[in-house]
Amino acid sequence: ITSSSGRAIFFRRTMPELRDVMDRAKIRFPLIDPGAVWHEQTKTWTFSCGYKYMFGQMEEDKDWTKYQGFQFTWIGFDELTSFTEEQYDKLDVWLRSKDPVLSKMLAMRAGTNPIGSGLLWVRSRFYEVAPPGTPVVVRVKVTVDDNGVKKQKTVERRQIFIPARVSDNKSVDEGEFAATLSTKSAATRKALLLGDWYAGAEGVWVGDDWEPDIHVCEPFKIPVGWPKFRAGDYGYSWP
């Protein structure tokens, strides 16, 4: 079979970051398929079956427009918190296929550390919606064209957040990694060593001291007799 219409794309935010991944792919992909061909200009591998695997980057916020109109059957992001939510959502639109087999295999995958400019949207969208390891069904209303008539359609998206710590990566020496982080802030160490999604938010003054197990409780009805008070926060960096 040499006529697969499958097309995957793997994203990093900048070209230097992407170049590192492409260099590793040049070693590993030929081991998977000796007949795979690399096209430098389009940053695409074409496998013997016709399946294409692309590499892309979106350094500028609006770079998602470079991929407008494509049809992808698999989309991957590395360090998702370095991307904007708009970039992620725009690529989601082009996850589609008319192939009856591939249409049932469409998927988006993303990996990231809990730090970076996009931490808040990633945390809200994937980490806080349900306990880690819990399958979630997200229903989104979209507008589709049905023979020239615009109609509203509800699309289901299934997602799951799978947590990991540095100790899960057997290729990394945890002690050496911890030593490397010893000069970093406590918040950064907690984020990168323990996978703490609340420690590494940029501009959060309490990041070093925040402990969800201590500072967060299950909702409960507040007794009528409890005293109430107000407090004002003038800001730490910009009062």
Side-chain angles (χ1 to χ4, degrees), residues 100-185:
V101 175
L102 291 173
S103 63
K104 299 177 182 178
M105 302 168 63
L106 306 179
M108 294 184 76
R109 297 287 184 268
T112 190
N113 285 295
I115 58 173
S117 59
L119 181 144
L120 296 182
W121 79 261
V122 176
R123 186 178 73 189
S124 173
R125 186 160 175 168
F126 298 104
Y127 180 76
E128 295 180 329
V129 294
T134 304
V136 175
V137 177
V138 179
R139 294 177 175 85
V140 182
K141 288 187 176 181
V142 297
T143 302
V144 297
D145 190 317
D146 185 4
N147 295 322
V149 179
K150 300 294 184 181
K151 293 184 177 180
Q152 286 285 317
K153 178 182 178 181
T154 299
V155 178
E156 288 190 351
R157 287 283 190 260
R158 290 172 171 78
Q159 67 182 51
I160 186 170
F161 171 81
I162 301 174
R165 295 184 178 183
V166 66
S167 57
D168 296 315
N169 189 342
K170 302 307 179 184
S171 65
V172 175
D173 185 315
E174 187 175 0
E176 184 176 325
F177 187 60
T180 301
L181 293 176
S182 62
T183 59
K184 308 298 182 183
S185 69

Side-chain angles (χ1 to χ4, degrees), residues 14-159:
T14 68
M15 181 53 70
E17 295 167 327
L18 188 65
R19 179 66 63 184
D20 175 65
V21 182
M22 290 191 295
D23 287 343
R24 282 181 277 159
K26 289 177 181 178
I27 297 173
R28 297 175 183 175
F29 280 11
L31 298 177
I32 299 171
D33 179 5
V37 178
W38 169 246
H39 305 273
E40 178 65 32
Q41 186 174 0
T42 59
K43 305 296 186 289
T44 302
W45 281 93
T46 301
F47 290 87
S48 300
C49 64
Y51 190 93
K52 298 183 184 301
Y53 194 107
M54 299 174 61
F55 291 90
Q57 51 85 222
M58 293 186 286
E59 188 163 357
E60 301 297 328
D61 288 352
K62 295 298 182 181
D63 277 352
W64 58 263
T65 58
K66 297 187 297 185
Y67 307 97
Q68 196 165 4
F70 278 82
Q71 289 192 15
F72 297 110
T73 50
W74 186 92
I75 300 174
F77 288 86
D78 193 13
E79 295 300 344
L80 184 60
T81 54
S82 67
F83 295 87
T84 67
E85 189 168 16
E86 180 186 38
Q87 290 173 325
Y88 182 87
D89 281 335
K90 293 301 184 181
L91 267 297
D92 186 14
V93 173
W94 300 313
L95 187 69
R96 57 193 179 182
S97 175
K98 294 181 179 179
D99 186 290
V101 175
L102 291 173
S103 63
K104 299 177 182 178
M105 302 168 63
L106 306 179
M108 294 184 76
R109 297 287 184 268
T112 190
N113 285 295
I115 58 173
S117 59
L119 181 144
L120 296 182
W121 79 261
V122 176
R123 186 178 73 189
S124 173
R125 186 160 175 168
F126 298 104
Y127 180 76
E128 295 180 329
V129 294
T134 304
V136 175
V137 177
V138 179
R139 294 177 175 85
V140 182
K141 288 187 176 181
V142 297
T143 302
V144 297
D145 190 317
D146 185 4
N147 295 322
V149 179
K150 300 294 184 181
K151 293 184 177 180
Q152 286 285 317
K153 178 182 178 181
T154 299
V155 178
E156 288 190 351
R157 287 283 190 260
R158 290 172 171 78
Q159 67 182 51

